[in-house]
Structure formats: C-alpha cells, structure tokens
C-alpha cells in the first residue's frame, strides 16, 4: 500500500542502529583548543594531530551499519591528550595521542609555548590483509582476510600563527 510508512528492518536490527537517532553530540570547542572537547556519534572529517596517521576520517562510510564514534580531547596546562574510537559498540579502530609543550613546562607561559612534542598510536583490528581478485556488486574490493594493524608516530611542531582565519605550524 503506497499510504503505508515502511521501515527497512535491516536498519533497526542491531543495538548500534538506535544510536543513529541522534547524529552526534559534542561539548567543548570544535577546534579542540579549549580545555576539553568530546564528540559522540558520527565522526566526520576527523584529523588527529597533524593528520599524518589519521586525516579526514569518517566512520559512517557503511550506510547499512551505524557507527557511534568517540573523539575526546583534554588540554591541561602544557599537556594534551586525544582519544579516538571509530565505533564504541565494535571498537576496531582506536587511537590515542599525547602532547607536551616542553618550553612552557620549563619557562611558563609565553611565545615559546608554540613548541609542541607529540606521540600517537592508532590501531585497526580489522584491517584488510588479503583481497579477492574481483569487486562486489557495489564495486568495492572483496576482503578475504583481515589482520590487526597498529602504527605509531612521533612529531615536533612549532605553532607560528594561530588565528581564526588560518594556522601555520611547520612540523616533522
């Protein structure tokens, strides 16, 4: 009947599906520069640190399954930390990043606070390891084997300019 509202049963068959009613909630400054920031729900365009390991991550690529992600940041004095979970109901992608401003620790507040040292570790417990030689009906590669993968990184950056219009931070 064309007057009947139909819902796809496959859209409401998992606990994670009910979290999609609220797309996301966040508290704190969206630029992550305040004392704290927490976002739960859809993660879109998420970059951790300078983006070398995770840049513009989006946890909602699979339209048939809702992923409730978590991005939490805390900045206390010269220290900072960020934790990311791609899906709290099935946490296969997760990571943490810590930062310290060493000259701020030694000398206190001042222009030198722009020197930032960071370390990141990211994991994917279901990373594609082996692909079948064909594509599925949606044109995506068929993964025949998954394997856990982790990567770590360390960086040093110097925040030279930090305005509402643009930032300049050379890093290595």
């Amino acid at each position: 009947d064309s007057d009947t509202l139909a819902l796809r049963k496959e859209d409401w068959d998992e606990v994670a599906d009910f979290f999609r009613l609220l797309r996301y909630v966040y508290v704190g400054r969206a630029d992550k520069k305040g004392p704290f920031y927490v976002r739960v729900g859809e993660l879109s365009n998420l970059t951790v640190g300078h983006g070398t390991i995770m840049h513009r991550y989006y946890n909602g690529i699979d339209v048939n399954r809702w992923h409730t992600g978590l991005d939490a940041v805390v900045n206390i004095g010269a220290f900072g930390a960020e934790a990311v979970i791609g899906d709290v109901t099935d946490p296969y992608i997760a990571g943490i990043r810590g930062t310290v401003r060493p000259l701020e620790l030694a000398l206190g507040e001042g222009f030198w606070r722009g020197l930032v040292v960071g370390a990141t570790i990211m994991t994917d417990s279901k990373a594609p390891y082996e692909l079948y030689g064909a594509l599925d009906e949606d044109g995506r590669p068929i993964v025949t084997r998954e394997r856990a993968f982790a990567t770590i990184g360390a960086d040093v950056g110097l925040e030279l300019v930090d305005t509402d219009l643009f930032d300049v931070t050379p890093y290595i």
Side-chain angles (χ1 to χ4, degrees):
D1 186 314
S2 63
D3 295 332
T4 306
L5 177 64
L7 296 175
R8 289 180 2 144
K9 289 180 183 173
E10 60 268 21
D11 284 344
W12 304 100
D13 61 352
E14 299 176 22
V15 173
D17 293 335
F18 292 92
F19 288 107
R20 84 171 64 204
L21 293 171
L22 193 59
R23 188 168 158 205
Y24 66 86
V25 175
Y26 78 88
V27 178
R29 289 180 50 177
D31 63 4
K32 304 179 186 178
K33 293 181 181 176
F36 66 91
Y37 170 80
V38 177
R39 180 177 174 135
V40 177
E42 178 185 66
L43 302 178
S44 56
N45 204 25
L46 175 67
T47 297
V48 175
H50 301 291
T52 305
I53 296 175
M54 182 178 276
H55 182 67
R56 295 186 176 174
Y57 171 72
Y58 180 66
N59 70 340
I61 198 81
D62 183 358
V63 296
N64 291 318
R65 185 167 188 294
W66 177 255
H67 299 277
T68 301
L70 171 71
D71 181 25
V73 177
V74 64
N75 294 303
I76 300 171
F79 299 96
E82 180 170 9
V84 174
I85 300 174
D87 187 347
V88 295
T89 62
D90 183 14
Y92 60 92
I93 292 180
I96 191 163
R97 173 177 169 75
T99 60
V100 64
R101 297 174 183 275
L103 294 179
E104 183 178 342
L105 277 177
L107 305 172
E109 288 281 338
F111 70 91
W112 48 78
R113 106 176 276 277
L115 180 68
V116 182
V117 178
T120 306
I121 182 167
M122 298 296 266
T123 65
D124 183 348
S125 65
K126 298 180 181 179
Y129 184 69
E130 194 171 282
L131 302 176
Y132 182 68
L135 303 177
D136 68 10
E137 62 274 0
D138 295 322
R140 294 181 296 217
I142 299 170
V143 177
T144 57
R145 204 164 127 208
E146 297 172 335
R147 187 169 163 181
F149 176 78
T151 187
I152 59 172
D155 60 87
V156 177
L158 184 60
E159 297 171 346
L160 296 176
V161 178
D162 186 5
T163 68
D164 291 339
L165 295 176
F166 66 94
D167 299 329
V168 176
T169 304
Y171 67 93
I172 187 165

